[in-house]
Amino acid sequence: MTMPPLHRPKPSQNGLRIGADFAQLLKATAPLPEIVTAVVHPCNETALEGAMAARDHGLITPVLVGPEARIRAAAEAAGRDLGGIEIVPSLHSHDSARQAVKLVHEGRVQALMKGALHTDEIMAEVVDRTRGLRTERRMSHAFVLDVPSYPKPLMITDAAINIFPDLTTKADIIQNAIGLCHALGVAAPRVALLSAVETITPKIPSTVEAGALCKMADRGQITGALLDGPLAFDNAISREAALAKGIVSEVAGEADILVAPDMESGNMIAKQLIYLAGADCAGIVLGARVPVMLTSRADGTLARIVSAALAQLLAHHKQGRSIL
């Protein structure tokens, strides 16, 4: 038996197969100037090519931070000419992360892009209490997904940094994601606080926290969005499922942001959408002094390009230069 296609075909843009949501996002970046970006340890072909492709799309001006011989070997493997591109030498991956964060403090770069190193290595420097990039808000990660079966970009948070966030941390996670939505032109994003059920159930702590977070929004402790929860995944993204359960909500079925109860569930949701629903994804760290493009070492060029687009839009939005 022949199975029907799972998702709509993706048109090609500069050799990339890209969905409608991400194509629109990249189009929106066209009037904005590139942001100077420290590419941390781009010491393999995939990481180096992703940074160069983001440059080719007019998103970043890369500053390559890593052992120079390894960077040049990666460039040769990728068939890339590094003429005119600054290289800041380092000893190894830990040193690459430290040197990149130092460039932020010196005012030489506006963003960071993860290359061929572990997430823990770059984030250890970013969150360091003395030399890192902390702000008054807890840092968090957001996946932005182009899901073929969903009519708009879908954000999932936090799926990479905060393992078991408490109530205060969840408030920061939500506010960070709202800020990114504003940078993407969504003036009043709809935020669904996920759990297994739609009613507050004391035996399920995430439902109690969802209720508290909604009340925090009512009292102005979380601003700039519509919040509702607890909501199960189905009624967060399906209006029909919400109506079938008698849920009356401005968020149900139309969520822009899905807030996971913990990192494990958020990561699973995102990867299920990527591998089973054909979604494309990008990733970014929010709440630091500058945007941090945080992609998996297994991610391809598209994920790195769109992550760079998110960082560019966010950086210019903070400067009051967003054109969305």
Side-chain angles (χ1 to χ4, degrees):
M1 183 176 67
T2 301
M3 296 294 291
L6 179 64
H7 51 80
R8 63 182 185 267
K10 299 176 182 179
S12 178
Q13 185 178 99
N14 293 337
L16 292 172
R17 307 296 293 180
I18 183 168
D21 293 333
F22 280 179
Q24 185 63 33
L25 189 151
L26 289 173
K27 182 179 178 181
T29 67
L32 296 173
E34 297 89 345
I35 56 173
V36 183
T37 299
V39 185
V40 186
H41 210 68
C43 294
N44 65 19
E45 184 177 347
T46 300
L48 192 282
E49 176 59 31
M52 298 298 284
R55 181 204 64 170
D56 294 345
H57 278 75
L59 303 170
I60 69 171
T61 298
V63 176
L64 308 180
V65 185
E68 185 168 355
R70 294 184 63 188
I71 291 174
R72 293 198 180 279
E76 184 176 356
R80 285 288 190 169
D81 180 6
L82 298 183
I85 296 178
E86 181 180 1
I87 297 177
V88 175
S90 72
L91 300 174
H92 42 67
S93 55
H94 284 76
D95 190 42
S96 297
R98 183 171 298 188
Q99 295 289 345
V101 169
K102 184 179 177 183
L103 291 175
V104 176
H105 286 292
E106 293 172 351
R108 294 176 58 189
V109 301
Q110 299 165 273
L112 302 181
M113 173 184 277
K114 178 183 172 236
L117 75 171
H118 288 282
T119 294
D120 288 349
E121 292 180 282
I122 184 171
M123 289 308 300
E125 290 298 320
V126 171
V127 304
D128 186 90
R129 292 188 179 277
T130 57
R131 60 178 181 269
L133 302 176
R134 289 174 177 262
T135 66
E136 72 284 352
R137 194 178 294 160
R138 184 69 172 256
M139 293 183 208
S140 59
H141 177 271
F143 276 119
V144 178
L145 297 158
D146 184 338
V147 185
S149 58
Y150 201 65
K152 56 184 175 179
L154 185 63
M155 192 178 302
I156 299 174
T157 191
D158 181 336
I161 294 180
N162 295 286
I163 301 173
F164 296 113
D166 60 17
L167 184 66
T168 303
T169 300
K170 284 185 178 179
D172 280 350
I173 289 170
I174 294 166
Q175 199 67 65
N176 287 341
I178 291 168
L180 179 57
C181 270
H182 290 172
L184 300 183
V186 183
R190 292 172 164 84
V191 181
L193 308 170
L194 296 183
S195 187
V197 296
E198 307 80 29
T199 54
I200 292 177
T201 306
K203 290 184 178 180
I204 307 177
S206 60
T207 67
V208 179
E209 291 187 342
L213 289 162
C214 289
K215 185 51 66 177
M216 290 172 74
D218 291 343
R219 295 289 186 265
Q221 293 173 270
I222 300 171
T223 61
L226 300 172
L227 272 66
D228 198 5
L231 291 171
F233 181 82
D234 57 349
N235 32 71
I237 55 91
S238 168
R239 174 65 68 179
E240 291 75 16
L243 291 174
K245 294 187 177 181
I247 298 171
V248 179
S249 167
E250 294 183 87
V251 173
E254 298 185 33
D256 298 290
I257 301 169
L258 302 179
V259 180
D262 52 51
M263 189 185 79
E264 291 174 313
S265 56
N267 196 279
M268 289 181 209
I269 292 168
K271 289 180 178 176
Q272 285 166 359
L273 290 172
I274 293 164
Y275 287 97
L276 292 178
D280 291 321
C281 79
I284 192 165
V285 174
L286 308 167
R289 287 179 54 177
V290 298
V292 180
M293 298 159 238
L294 194 66
T295 51
S296 167
R297 286 173 293 161
D299 284 337
T301 298
L302 178 60
R304 298 170 194 272
I305 289 172
V306 179
S307 297
L310 296 175
Q312 186 191 38
L313 288 165
L314 185 61
H316 286 298
H317 180 75
K318 289 182 176 179
Q319 297 169 8
R321 299 169 65 179
S322 174
I323 48 77
L324 290 173

